[in-house]
Amino acid sequence: MRLASSSIVAGRIQQVHACRPKGGTDQTPHLDIQEIPSEGRYLAVVADDPDAMKPAGKVWVHWNVFNVPAVDRRMEVAAGQSLSGETGTTSGHATGGYEGPCPPDGEHTYRIAVFALQDRVKIDTRAEWTIEAFETAYGRQIVAKALVTGKFGP
């Protein structure tokens, strides 16, 4: 499986996808998911910021969406588009399912992972799921994973 995003240009996340205090609009990023395995019937999207460990004391969760139907081997999600699935909680408790980059202490590297899953997952959407936590909990159901990273900050 492969993942690309036109919202990440030259390794940097475009400002529109950042939080409002950083000049953005919390717009969800573009995702181009290709080569979804045929046994991957559902997708999960997890975006987090491991560089938040220093200022926040934890990996900050920016986006959790689970049980997104994978109807084709390719799926493209336009910037600003929401995904049809179960929306999880972000660390900042964003209501729209996506919380844009908002680093308090300089530049951070953000990760967006897409997982192809055999079946729907029974998941607590009130929990903040990092990439590692999701892999640990649902590793047996994951048939593929793709990851992109982008930096944001001054």
Side-chain angles (χ1 to χ4, degrees):
M1 191 163 71
R2 293 185 304 141
L3 175 61
S5 177
S6 63
S7 297
I8 301 171
V9 177
R12 301 199 56 81
I13 299 171
Q14 295 177 342
Q15 189 169 10
V16 69
H17 305 291
C19 67
R20 294 184 192 285
K22 299 292 183 181
T25 61
D26 286 307
Q27 182 185 84
T28 59
H30 164 263
L31 301 177
D32 184 6
I33 309 160
Q34 298 182 25
E35 300 174 17
I36 299 169
S38 58
E39 62 271 20
R41 297 179 31 224
Y42 293 92
L43 301 176
V45 177
V46 178
D48 63 18
D49 171 10
D51 293 339
M53 188 60 80
K54 183 178 177 187
K58 64 180 181 178
V59 175
W60 198 268
V61 175
H62 286 269
W63 199 12
N64 278 174
V65 185
F66 309 102
N67 298 319
V68 177
V71 294
D72 292 315
R73 293 199 65 223
R74 180 176 185 200
M75 178 184 288
E76 188 156 9
V77 181
Q81 179 182 343
S82 60
L83 291 165
S84 61
E86 296 176 53
T87 303
T89 302
T90 65
S91 293
H93 309 291
T95 56
Y98 174 78
E99 175 186 346
C102 205
D105 63 341
E107 183 178 86
H108 285 208
T109 299
Y110 296 83
R111 308 179 299 179
I112 302 171
V114 176
F115 299 93
L117 305 159
Q118 294 174 349
D119 294 302
R120 292 176 62 85
V121 291
K122 292 182 180 179
I123 194 157
D124 180 359
T125 57
R126 296 168 297 169
E128 299 172 21
W129 291 93
T130 65
I131 292 170
E132 288 80 12
F134 186 81
E135 286 176 314
T136 298
Y138 297 99
R140 289 180 294 174
Q141 290 180 262
I142 297 169
V143 295
K145 171 188 171 186
L147 178 80
V148 295
T149 62
K151 296 184 180 295
F152 186 83

